[in-house]
Amino acid sequence: MKKFFEEFKAFAMRGNVVDMAVGVVIGGAFGKITTSIVNDIIMPLISILTGGVDFTEWKWVLKEAVVAADGTVSAAEVAVKYGSTIAIILDFIIIAFAVFCLVKGLNALHRKKEEPAPEPEPEPEPAPPAPTAEELLTEIRDLLKEQK
């Protein structure tokens, strides 16, 4: 049993597992932020455009609620609540876009980090030194000897 817990501890304390746990916690908090943005900012703006209707209350009623004479509901309403589904889809799109931007930025940083430093251009080889007057005279003498 002790070995089992040691293996679990080694697994749980790996860098990737801890990083993933931090990511999940931050992701949950980020999800709450985007849900608030969608529900408290975007949806009210959309409801203004739609004439003040609460967007999350949009629904398609399949069966009306049955109300007794004394005002009690004997059978609940059956409805497809597509407004809240649209709100959740908007929430997802915002989160997906934010994650896309984050990953794109991280990939750019990794590429920049991995790019090798530009190699300096090789210096051109120096031109061979010009022959001295003595070397030229020696060559001329040798050529004249060959012609004779």
Side-chain angles (χ1 to χ4, degrees), residues 62-133:
L62 300 174
K63 182 179 175 191
E64 294 286 336
V66 178
V67 181
D70 61 353
T72 59
V73 177
S74 60
E77 171 183 81
V78 178
V80 176
K81 298 179 180 182
Y82 62 90
S84 61
T85 303
I86 292 172
I88 291 171
I89 290 171
L90 281 174
D91 195 25
F92 169 78
I93 290 170
I94 291 170
I95 292 172
F97 180 73
V99 169
F100 169 76
C101 291
L102 177 71
V103 169
K104 187 172 174 77
L106 288 175
N107 286 341
L109 285 175
H110 284 291
R111 275 190 302 252
K112 199 172 198 181
K113 197 182 211 182
E114 292 174 357
E115 284 179 5
E119 294 180 19
E121 296 205 14
E123 295 181 22
E125 292 182 21
T132 62

Side-chain angles (χ1 to χ4, degrees), residues 28-49:
F30 184 72
K32 289 179 182 179
I33 291 169
T34 56
T35 300
S36 175
I37 289 171
V38 169
N39 292 338
D40 301 333
I41 296 171
I42 295 174
M43 290 307 168
L45 293 174
I46 291 175
S47 71
I48 288 172
L49 295 174

Side-chain angles (χ1 to χ4, degrees), residues 131-146:
T132 62
E134 292 174 358
E135 291 172 339
L136 289 174
L137 288 173
T138 306
E139 277 186 48
I140 293 171
R141 182 194 67 199
D142 291 343
L143 289 172
L144 286 173
K145 280 184 182 178
E146 286 179 12

